[in-house]
Short mmCIF file of all heavy atoms in Angstrom, two decimals:
data_model
loop_
_atom_site.label_atom_id
_atom_site.label_comp_id
_atom_site.label_asym_id
_atom_site.label_seq_id
_atom_site.Cartn_x
_atom_site.Cartn_y
_atom_site.Cartn_z
N MET A 719 -9.17 -21.37 -22.39
CA MET A 719 -10.11 -21.38 -23.54
C MET A 719 -11.10 -22.53 -23.40
O MET A 719 -10.71 -23.66 -23.12
CB MET A 719 -9.33 -21.55 -24.85
CG MET A 719 -8.59 -20.32 -25.32
SD MET A 719 -9.67 -18.99 -25.89
CE MET A 719 -10.09 -19.59 -27.51
N THR A 720 -12.36 -22.24 -23.64
CA THR A 720 -13.36 -23.29 -23.62
C THR A 720 -13.50 -23.88 -25.03
O THR A 720 -12.98 -23.35 -25.99
CB THR A 720 -14.74 -22.74 -23.22
OG1 THR A 720 -15.15 -21.78 -24.18
CG2 THR A 720 -14.68 -22.11 -21.84
N PHE A 721 -14.20 -24.98 -25.13
CA PHE A 721 -14.60 -25.50 -26.43
C PHE A 721 -15.80 -24.70 -26.91
O PHE A 721 -16.58 -24.20 -26.08
CB PHE A 721 -15.01 -26.97 -26.35
CG PHE A 721 -13.90 -27.86 -25.86
CD1 PHE A 721 -14.06 -28.64 -24.72
CD2 PHE A 721 -12.71 -27.95 -26.55
CE1 PHE A 721 -13.06 -29.46 -24.27
CE2 PHE A 721 -11.69 -28.76 -26.10
CZ PHE A 721 -11.86 -29.52 -24.97
N SER A 722 -15.98 -24.57 -28.21
CA SER A 722 -17.17 -23.88 -28.71
C SER A 722 -17.95 -24.81 -29.62
O SER A 722 -17.40 -25.74 -30.21
CB SER A 722 -16.78 -22.60 -29.46
OG SER A 722 -16.08 -22.93 -30.64
N ALA A 723 -19.25 -24.57 -29.73
CA ALA A 723 -20.12 -25.40 -30.55
C ALA A 723 -21.22 -24.57 -31.18
O ALA A 723 -21.62 -23.52 -30.64
CB ALA A 723 -20.75 -26.51 -29.70
N HIS A 724 -21.70 -25.01 -32.32
CA HIS A 724 -22.82 -24.38 -32.99
C HIS A 724 -23.88 -25.43 -33.24
O HIS A 724 -23.57 -26.56 -33.60
CB HIS A 724 -22.40 -23.75 -34.32
CG HIS A 724 -21.41 -22.63 -34.15
ND1 HIS A 724 -21.78 -21.35 -33.83
CD2 HIS A 724 -20.07 -22.63 -34.24
CE1 HIS A 724 -20.70 -20.61 -33.72
NE2 HIS A 724 -19.65 -21.35 -33.97
N LEU A 725 -25.15 -25.06 -33.04
CA LEU A 725 -26.26 -26.00 -33.24
C LEU A 725 -26.59 -26.10 -34.73
O LEU A 725 -26.75 -25.09 -35.41
CB LEU A 725 -27.47 -25.51 -32.47
CG LEU A 725 -28.70 -26.43 -32.46
CD1 LEU A 725 -28.34 -27.79 -31.88
CD2 LEU A 725 -29.80 -25.79 -31.63
N GLU A 726 -26.66 -27.34 -35.21
CA GLU A 726 -26.98 -27.59 -36.61
C GLU A 726 -28.33 -28.32 -36.70
O GLU A 726 -28.57 -29.26 -35.96
CB GLU A 726 -25.89 -28.47 -37.24
CG GLU A 726 -26.18 -28.86 -38.69
CD GLU A 726 -25.16 -29.86 -39.21
OE1 GLU A 726 -25.13 -30.98 -38.69
OE2 GLU A 726 -24.41 -29.51 -40.11
N TYR A 727 -29.17 -27.87 -37.64
CA TYR A 727 -30.45 -28.55 -37.89
C TYR A 727 -30.25 -29.43 -39.11
O TYR A 727 -29.90 -28.94 -40.18
CB TYR A 727 -31.54 -27.52 -38.12
CG TYR A 727 -31.73 -26.64 -36.91
CD1 TYR A 727 -31.02 -25.46 -36.77
CD2 TYR A 727 -32.57 -27.03 -35.87
CE1 TYR A 727 -31.14 -24.68 -35.64
CE2 TYR A 727 -32.71 -26.26 -34.74
CZ TYR A 727 -31.99 -25.09 -34.62
OH TYR A 727 -32.10 -24.33 -33.49
N LEU A 728 -30.47 -30.74 -38.93
CA LEU A 728 -30.18 -31.70 -39.99
C LEU A 728 -31.48 -32.40 -40.39
O LEU A 728 -32.07 -33.14 -39.62
CB LEU A 728 -29.16 -32.73 -39.48
CG LEU A 728 -28.61 -33.70 -40.51
CD1 LEU A 728 -27.81 -32.97 -41.56
CD2 LEU A 728 -27.75 -34.75 -39.83
N PHE A 729 -31.91 -32.13 -41.62
CA PHE A 729 -33.13 -32.74 -42.12
C PHE A 729 -32.81 -34.09 -42.76
O PHE A 729 -31.88 -34.19 -43.56
CB PHE A 729 -33.79 -31.82 -43.16
CG PHE A 729 -34.30 -30.53 -42.58
CD1 PHE A 729 -33.46 -29.43 -42.48
CD2 PHE A 729 -35.60 -30.43 -42.12
CE1 PHE A 729 -33.93 -28.23 -41.93
CE2 PHE A 729 -36.07 -29.26 -41.57
CZ PHE A 729 -35.23 -28.16 -41.48
N HIS A 730 -33.59 -35.11 -42.42
CA HIS A 730 -33.44 -36.44 -43.01
C HIS A 730 -34.52 -36.55 -44.10
O HIS A 730 -35.71 -36.53 -43.78
CB HIS A 730 -33.65 -37.53 -41.95
CG HIS A 730 -32.57 -37.57 -40.92
ND1 HIS A 730 -32.02 -38.74 -40.47
CD2 HIS A 730 -31.95 -36.56 -40.24
CE1 HIS A 730 -31.08 -38.46 -39.55
NE2 HIS A 730 -31.04 -37.13 -39.40
N ILE A 731 -34.10 -36.65 -45.34
CA ILE A 731 -35.03 -36.64 -46.48
C ILE A 731 -35.04 -38.00 -47.15
O ILE A 731 -33.97 -38.59 -47.39
CB ILE A 731 -34.61 -35.56 -47.50
CG1 ILE A 731 -34.50 -34.19 -46.81
CG2 ILE A 731 -35.59 -35.51 -48.66
CD1 ILE A 731 -33.83 -33.13 -47.67
N THR A 732 -36.21 -38.52 -47.47
CA THR A 732 -36.33 -39.78 -48.21
C THR A 732 -37.10 -39.53 -49.49
O THR A 732 -38.19 -38.94 -49.48
CB THR A 732 -37.09 -40.84 -47.37
OG1 THR A 732 -36.42 -41.03 -46.13
CG2 THR A 732 -37.17 -42.17 -48.11
N CYS A 733 -36.53 -39.94 -50.62
CA CYS A 733 -37.18 -39.77 -51.93
C CYS A 733 -38.43 -40.65 -52.02
O CYS A 733 -38.37 -41.84 -51.70
CB CYS A 733 -36.19 -40.14 -53.03
SG CYS A 733 -36.91 -40.10 -54.68
N GLY A 734 -39.54 -40.05 -52.45
CA GLY A 734 -40.77 -40.80 -52.59
C GLY A 734 -40.77 -41.74 -53.78
O GLY A 734 -41.60 -42.66 -53.86
N GLU A 735 -39.87 -41.54 -54.74
CA GLU A 735 -39.81 -42.38 -55.93
C GLU A 735 -38.93 -43.61 -55.73
O GLU A 735 -39.34 -44.73 -55.98
CB GLU A 735 -39.27 -41.56 -57.12
CG GLU A 735 -40.13 -40.37 -57.50
CD GLU A 735 -41.50 -40.75 -58.03
OE1 GLU A 735 -41.62 -41.82 -58.64
OE2 GLU A 735 -42.45 -39.98 -57.80
N CYS A 736 -37.69 -43.39 -55.29
CA CYS A 736 -36.72 -44.50 -55.21
C CYS A 736 -36.34 -44.86 -53.77
O CYS A 736 -35.56 -45.77 -53.56
CB CYS A 736 -35.46 -44.17 -56.02
SG CYS A 736 -34.42 -42.91 -55.25
N LYS A 737 -36.88 -44.11 -52.80
CA LYS A 737 -36.62 -44.35 -51.37
C LYS A 737 -35.18 -44.04 -50.96
O LYS A 737 -34.75 -44.43 -49.87
CB LYS A 737 -36.97 -45.80 -50.96
CG LYS A 737 -38.40 -46.22 -51.31
CD LYS A 737 -39.44 -45.28 -50.70
CE LYS A 737 -40.85 -45.73 -51.08
NZ LYS A 737 -41.84 -44.68 -50.79
N PHE A 738 -34.41 -43.36 -51.84
CA PHE A 738 -33.06 -42.96 -51.46
C PHE A 738 -33.15 -41.99 -50.30
O PHE A 738 -34.05 -41.16 -50.24
CB PHE A 738 -32.33 -42.33 -52.66
CG PHE A 738 -30.91 -41.93 -52.37
CD1 PHE A 738 -29.91 -42.88 -52.35
CD2 PHE A 738 -30.58 -40.60 -52.14
CE1 PHE A 738 -28.59 -42.52 -52.09
CE2 PHE A 738 -29.26 -40.23 -51.87
CZ PHE A 738 -28.28 -41.20 -51.86
N TYR A 739 -32.18 -42.09 -49.39
CA TYR A 739 -32.17 -41.27 -48.18
C TYR A 739 -30.95 -40.36 -48.17
O TYR A 739 -29.85 -40.81 -48.46
CB TYR A 739 -32.19 -42.20 -46.98
CG TYR A 739 -31.69 -41.61 -45.69
CD1 TYR A 739 -32.53 -40.85 -44.89
CD2 TYR A 739 -30.38 -41.83 -45.27
CE1 TYR A 739 -32.07 -40.31 -43.70
CE2 TYR A 739 -29.92 -41.29 -44.09
CZ TYR A 739 -30.76 -40.53 -43.31
OH TYR A 739 -30.30 -40.00 -42.15
N TRP A 740 -31.17 -39.06 -47.90
CA TRP A 740 -30.04 -38.15 -47.77
C TRP A 740 -30.38 -37.11 -46.72
O TRP A 740 -31.49 -37.11 -46.16
CB TRP A 740 -29.65 -37.52 -49.11
CG TRP A 740 -30.55 -36.47 -49.65
CD1 TRP A 740 -30.36 -35.12 -49.56
CD2 TRP A 740 -31.78 -36.65 -50.38
NE1 TRP A 740 -31.40 -34.48 -50.20
CE2 TRP A 740 -32.27 -35.38 -50.70
CE3 TRP A 740 -32.52 -37.77 -50.77
CZ2 TRP A 740 -33.46 -35.18 -51.40
CZ3 TRP A 740 -33.70 -37.60 -51.47
CH2 TRP A 740 -34.16 -36.31 -51.77
N THR A 741 -29.44 -36.24 -46.42
CA THR A 741 -29.66 -35.23 -45.38
C THR A 741 -29.38 -33.83 -45.92
O THR A 741 -28.63 -33.65 -46.87
CB THR A 741 -28.75 -35.47 -44.15
OG1 THR A 741 -27.39 -35.45 -44.57
CG2 THR A 741 -29.07 -36.80 -43.49
N TYR A 742 -30.02 -32.86 -45.30
CA TYR A 742 -29.83 -31.45 -45.65
C TYR A 742 -29.65 -30.68 -44.36
O TYR A 742 -30.49 -30.72 -43.47
CB TYR A 742 -31.05 -30.94 -46.43
CG TYR A 742 -30.84 -29.57 -47.03
CD1 TYR A 742 -30.41 -29.42 -48.34
CD2 TYR A 742 -31.07 -28.42 -46.28
CE1 TYR A 742 -30.22 -28.17 -48.90
CE2 TYR A 742 -30.88 -27.16 -46.82
CZ TYR A 742 -30.44 -27.04 -48.13
OH TYR A 742 -30.24 -25.80 -48.67
N ALA A 743 -28.54 -29.99 -44.24
CA ALA A 743 -28.21 -29.31 -43.00
C ALA A 743 -28.44 -27.81 -43.09
O ALA A 743 -28.25 -27.21 -44.16
CB ALA A 743 -26.75 -29.58 -42.64
N SER A 744 -28.84 -27.20 -41.98
CA SER A 744 -28.96 -25.74 -41.89
C SER A 744 -28.53 -25.29 -40.50
O SER A 744 -28.71 -26.01 -39.52
CB SER A 744 -30.41 -25.33 -42.15
OG SER A 744 -30.55 -23.92 -41.94
N MET A 745 -27.93 -24.13 -40.43
CA MET A 745 -27.56 -23.56 -39.13
C MET A 745 -28.65 -22.58 -38.66
O MET A 745 -28.54 -21.98 -37.59
CB MET A 745 -26.23 -22.83 -39.24
CG MET A 745 -25.08 -23.68 -39.74
SD MET A 745 -24.65 -25.02 -38.64
CE MET A 745 -23.55 -24.13 -37.53
N ASP A 746 -29.68 -22.40 -39.48
CA ASP A 746 -30.72 -21.40 -39.20
C ASP A 746 -31.99 -22.07 -38.67
O ASP A 746 -32.62 -22.86 -39.36
CB ASP A 746 -31.03 -20.65 -40.51
CG ASP A 746 -32.08 -19.57 -40.33
OD1 ASP A 746 -32.52 -19.33 -39.17
OD2 ASP A 746 -32.48 -18.97 -41.34
N LYS A 747 -32.35 -21.76 -37.44
CA LYS A 747 -33.51 -22.37 -36.80
C LYS A 747 -34.79 -22.05 -37.58
O LYS A 747 -35.74 -22.83 -37.58
CB LYS A 747 -33.64 -21.87 -35.36
CG LYS A 747 -34.70 -22.60 -34.56
CD LYS A 747 -34.72 -22.10 -33.12
CE LYS A 747 -35.71 -22.92 -32.29
NZ LYS A 747 -35.75 -22.48 -30.88
N ALA A 748 -34.82 -20.89 -38.25
CA ALA A 748 -36.03 -20.46 -38.97
C ALA A 748 -36.10 -21.02 -40.38
O ALA A 748 -37.06 -20.77 -41.11
CB ALA A 748 -36.08 -18.94 -39.01
N PHE A 749 -35.06 -21.78 -40.80
CA PHE A 749 -35.05 -22.33 -42.15
C PHE A 749 -36.26 -23.24 -42.37
O PHE A 749 -36.56 -24.11 -41.55
CB PHE A 749 -33.76 -23.12 -42.38
CG PHE A 749 -33.73 -23.86 -43.69
CD1 PHE A 749 -33.51 -23.17 -44.87
CD2 PHE A 749 -33.93 -25.22 -43.74
CE1 PHE A 749 -33.48 -23.83 -46.09
CE2 PHE A 749 -33.91 -25.90 -44.94
CZ PHE A 749 -33.68 -25.20 -46.12
N ASP A 750 -36.99 -23.02 -43.48
CA ASP A 750 -38.18 -23.83 -43.79
C ASP A 750 -37.90 -24.67 -45.04
O ASP A 750 -37.88 -24.16 -46.17
CB ASP A 750 -39.37 -22.91 -44.03
CG ASP A 750 -40.68 -23.68 -44.20
OD1 ASP A 750 -40.64 -24.93 -44.28
OD2 ASP A 750 -41.73 -23.02 -44.24
N ILE A 751 -37.70 -25.96 -44.84
CA ILE A 751 -37.32 -26.85 -45.93
C ILE A 751 -38.48 -27.11 -46.90
O ILE A 751 -38.28 -27.60 -48.01
CB ILE A 751 -36.75 -28.18 -45.37
CG1 ILE A 751 -35.91 -28.89 -46.44
CG2 ILE A 751 -37.87 -29.08 -44.84
CD1 ILE A 751 -35.03 -29.99 -45.91
N THR A 752 -39.71 -26.76 -46.49
CA THR A 752 -40.86 -27.02 -47.34
C THR A 752 -41.09 -25.90 -48.36
O THR A 752 -42.00 -25.99 -49.18
CB THR A 752 -42.15 -27.17 -46.49
OG1 THR A 752 -42.45 -25.92 -45.85
CG2 THR A 752 -41.99 -28.25 -45.43
N LYS A 753 -40.28 -24.83 -48.31
CA LYS A 753 -40.52 -23.66 -49.15
C LYS A 753 -40.09 -23.79 -50.61
O LYS A 753 -40.48 -23.02 -51.46
CB LYS A 753 -39.80 -22.43 -48.54
CG LYS A 753 -40.47 -21.92 -47.27
CD LYS A 753 -41.66 -21.04 -47.59
CE LYS A 753 -42.06 -20.25 -46.38
NZ LYS A 753 -43.43 -20.27 -46.02
N LYS A 754 -39.18 -24.76 -50.89
CA LYS A 754 -38.71 -24.91 -52.27
C LYS A 754 -38.63 -26.37 -52.65
O LYS A 754 -38.80 -27.26 -51.81
CB LYS A 754 -37.36 -24.21 -52.46
CG LYS A 754 -36.27 -24.68 -51.51
CD LYS A 754 -34.92 -24.07 -51.86
CE LYS A 754 -34.25 -24.90 -52.92
NZ LYS A 754 -32.78 -24.72 -52.96
N GLN A 755 -38.34 -26.61 -53.95
CA GLN A 755 -38.26 -27.98 -54.44
C GLN A 755 -36.80 -28.45 -54.44
O GLN A 755 -35.88 -27.67 -54.59
CB GLN A 755 -38.84 -28.07 -55.85
CG GLN A 755 -40.35 -27.81 -55.87
CD GLN A 755 -40.96 -28.18 -57.21
OE1 GLN A 755 -40.46 -27.81 -58.25
NE2 GLN A 755 -42.06 -28.91 -57.16
N TYR A 756 -36.62 -29.75 -54.28
CA TYR A 756 -35.29 -30.36 -54.23
C TYR A 756 -35.21 -31.51 -55.22
O TYR A 756 -36.24 -32.12 -55.57
CB TYR A 756 -34.99 -30.88 -52.82
CG TYR A 756 -34.92 -29.78 -51.81
CD1 TYR A 756 -36.08 -29.32 -51.19
CD2 TYR A 756 -33.71 -29.18 -51.48
CE1 TYR A 756 -36.03 -28.28 -50.27
CE2 TYR A 756 -33.64 -28.15 -50.56
CZ TYR A 756 -34.81 -27.70 -49.96
OH TYR A 756 -34.76 -26.67 -49.06
N PHE A 757 -33.99 -31.81 -55.66
CA PHE A 757 -33.76 -32.94 -56.54
C PHE A 757 -33.22 -34.12 -55.72
O PHE A 757 -32.34 -33.94 -54.89
CB PHE A 757 -32.72 -32.60 -57.62
CG PHE A 757 -33.23 -31.61 -58.63
CD1 PHE A 757 -32.97 -30.26 -58.48
CD2 PHE A 757 -33.94 -32.04 -59.74
CE1 PHE A 757 -33.42 -29.33 -59.43
CE2 PHE A 757 -34.40 -31.12 -60.69
CZ PHE A 757 -34.14 -29.78 -60.52
N CYS A 758 -33.73 -35.31 -56.00
CA CYS A 758 -33.18 -36.52 -55.37
C CYS A 758 -31.77 -36.75 -55.95
O CYS A 758 -31.61 -36.80 -57.17
CB CYS A 758 -34.08 -37.71 -55.66
SG CYS A 758 -33.34 -39.29 -55.17
N PRO A 759 -30.74 -36.91 -55.10
CA PRO A 759 -29.38 -37.13 -55.59
C PRO A 759 -29.22 -38.48 -56.28
O PRO A 759 -28.24 -38.71 -56.97
CB PRO A 759 -28.52 -37.09 -54.31
CG PRO A 759 -29.39 -36.49 -53.28
CD PRO A 759 -30.80 -36.84 -53.64
N ASN A 760 -30.16 -39.39 -56.09
CA ASN A 760 -30.05 -40.74 -56.65
C ASN A 760 -30.76 -40.85 -57.99
O ASN A 760 -30.15 -41.21 -58.99
CB ASN A 760 -30.58 -41.77 -55.67
CG ASN A 760 -30.40 -43.18 -56.17
OD1 ASN A 760 -29.28 -43.61 -56.45
ND2 ASN A 760 -31.50 -43.92 -56.29
N CYS A 761 -32.06 -40.53 -58.04
CA CYS A 761 -32.84 -40.74 -59.27
C CYS A 761 -33.15 -39.43 -59.99
O CYS A 761 -33.66 -39.45 -61.11
CB CYS A 761 -34.13 -41.51 -58.97
SG CYS A 761 -35.40 -40.53 -58.14
N GLY A 762 -32.86 -38.29 -59.38
CA GLY A 762 -33.04 -37.01 -60.05
C GLY A 762 -34.45 -36.47 -60.04
O GLY A 762 -34.70 -35.40 -60.61
N SER A 763 -35.40 -37.17 -59.41
CA SER A 763 -36.76 -36.63 -59.38
C SER A 763 -36.79 -35.36 -58.53
O SER A 763 -36.06 -35.21 -57.56
CB SER A 763 -37.73 -37.68 -58.86
OG SER A 763 -37.58 -37.90 -57.48
N LYS A 764 -37.67 -34.43 -58.94
CA LYS A 764 -37.77 -33.12 -58.28
C LYS A 764 -39.09 -33.03 -57.54
O LYS A 764 -40.14 -33.36 -58.10
CB LYS A 764 -37.67 -32.02 -59.33
CG LYS A 764 -37.71 -30.61 -58.80
CD LYS A 764 -37.73 -29.60 -59.95
CE LYS A 764 -37.67 -28.17 -59.43
NZ LYS A 764 -37.84 -27.19 -60.52
N ASN A 765 -39.05 -32.59 -56.29
CA ASN A 765 -40.30 -32.49 -55.55
C ASN A 765 -40.11 -31.59 -54.32
O ASN A 765 -38.99 -31.23 -53.96
CB ASN A 765 -40.78 -33.86 -55.11
CG ASN A 765 -42.28 -34.01 -55.28
OD1 ASN A 765 -43.05 -33.08 -54.99
ND2 ASN A 765 -42.72 -35.17 -55.74
N VAL A 766 -41.23 -31.24 -53.71
CA VAL A 766 -41.20 -30.52 -52.44
C VAL A 766 -40.98 -31.52 -51.31
O VAL A 766 -41.15 -32.72 -51.49
CB VAL A 766 -42.51 -29.75 -52.19
CG1 VAL A 766 -42.70 -28.64 -53.22
CG2 VAL A 766 -43.71 -30.69 -52.19
N VAL A 767 -40.60 -31.01 -50.15
CA VAL A 767 -40.40 -31.84 -48.97
C VAL A 767 -41.58 -31.64 -48.04
O VAL A 767 -41.97 -30.52 -47.73
CB VAL A 767 -39.08 -31.47 -48.23
CG1 VAL A 767 -38.97 -32.20 -46.91
CG2 VAL A 767 -37.89 -31.76 -49.12
N THR A 768 -42.20 -32.74 -47.60
CA THR A 768 -43.25 -32.69 -46.58
C THR A 768 -42.59 -32.98 -45.23
O THR A 768 -41.95 -34.03 -45.07
CB THR A 768 -44.33 -33.74 -46.86
OG1 THR A 768 -44.90 -33.48 -48.13
CG2 THR A 768 -45.44 -33.66 -45.81
N LEU A 769 -42.73 -32.06 -44.29
CA LEU A 769 -42.09 -32.23 -43.00
C LEU A 769 -42.98 -33.08 -42.09
O LEU A 769 -44.12 -32.76 -41.82
CB LEU A 769 -41.86 -30.85 -42.36
CG LEU A 769 -40.86 -30.78 -41.20
CD1 LEU A 769 -39.50 -31.37 -41.59
CD2 LEU A 769 -40.73 -29.35 -40.74
N GLU A 770 -42.42 -34.20 -41.62
CA GLU A 770 -43.16 -35.12 -40.73
C GLU A 770 -43.00 -34.67 -39.28
O GLU A 770 -42.19 -33.80 -38.97
CB GLU A 770 -42.60 -36.55 -40.87
CG GLU A 770 -42.57 -37.08 -42.29
CD GLU A 770 -43.94 -37.49 -42.81
OE1 GLU A 770 -44.85 -37.63 -41.98
OE2 GLU A 770 -44.09 -37.68 -44.02
N GLU A 771 -43.78 -35.28 -38.41
CA GLU A 771 -43.67 -35.01 -36.98
C GLU A 771 -42.27 -35.37 -36.48
O GLU A 771 -41.64 -36.28 -37.02
CB GLU A 771 -44.70 -35.84 -36.20
CG GLU A 771 -46.14 -35.45 -36.50
CD GLU A 771 -46.51 -34.09 -35.94
OE1 GLU A 771 -46.14 -33.82 -34.77
OE2 GLU A 771 -47.14 -33.29 -36.65
N GLU A 772 -41.81 -34.68 -35.45
CA GLU A 772 -40.51 -35.02 -34.87
C GLU A 772 -40.59 -36.37 -34.17
O GLU A 772 -41.61 -36.72 -33.59
CB GLU A 772 -40.09 -33.95 -33.84
CG GLU A 772 -39.72 -32.63 -34.52
CD GLU A 772 -39.29 -31.58 -33.52
OE1 GLU A 772 -38.70 -31.97 -32.49
OE2 GLU A 772 -39.52 -30.40 -33.77
N LEU A 773 -39.50 -37.13 -34.23
CA LEU A 773 -39.46 -38.46 -33.61
C LEU A 773 -39.27 -38.31 -32.12
O LEU A 773 -38.66 -37.38 -31.65
CB LEU A 773 -38.31 -39.29 -34.21
CG LEU A 773 -38.45 -39.62 -35.69
CD1 LEU A 773 -37.20 -40.38 -36.15
CD2 LEU A 773 -39.70 -40.45 -35.95
ZN1 ZN B 2042 -35.07 -40.73 -55.83
#
């Protein structure tokens, strides 16, 4: 038996209000994080995500 693995896409999100940092994971390469609004887990502010250039 071999080992098996699945590729995970992990978005690093920083709140524009309080600068809290959290992550959002998806297993779907076509997932578009900019399509809906999210709540900051720290301060509760709601906003869309702007996707920055890859590092
Ligand atoms: Zn926040």
